[in-house]
Amino acid sequence: MKHTITVKTQAKKNAVEEAADGSLRVFVKAPPHEGRANEAVIETLAEHFGVPKSRVAIVGGFTSKKKIVRIGEC
């Protein structure tokens, strides 16, 4: 399943918040440098949905705050 997410980097904690429109806001502690934030997004989403990290993939928006991720069917 695909989700549109908005990423907030350098947050106080790693967390996932669901918005009223069905999109997700993902907060990660990692800085947006050398792919660290993207890796933290994958780890945080995997933990939130209870799937292995290998089942979470960023399919769009690698360098943007708005990303499209695929969960569960990678």
Side-chain angles (χ1 to χ4, degrees):
M1 105 182 71
K2 287 187 181 177
H3 289 280
T4 301
I5 65 168
T6 302
V7 178
K8 171 67 174 133
T9 58
Q10 298 179 341
K12 292 184 180 185
K13 62 180 182 173
N14 292 344
V16 178
E17 182 180 280
E18 200 162 338
D21 64 356
S23 65
L24 298 174
R25 291 184 69 196
V26 180
F27 299 88
V28 294
K29 292 191 237 180
H33 184 66
E34 297 178 354
R36 292 182 198 155
N38 285 343
E39 183 61 33
V41 165
I42 290 170
E43 289 175 13
T44 303
L45 287 172
E47 184 177 313
H48 177 76
F49 286 103
V51 297
K53 289 190 300 185
S54 62
R55 296 287 183 194
V56 179
I58 298 172
V59 295
F62 296 100
T63 59
S64 173
K65 289 183 180 187
K66 296 203 181 268
K67 300 180 185 302
I68 300 172
V69 294
R70 187 179 320 132
I71 300 170
E73 51 193 60
C74 297

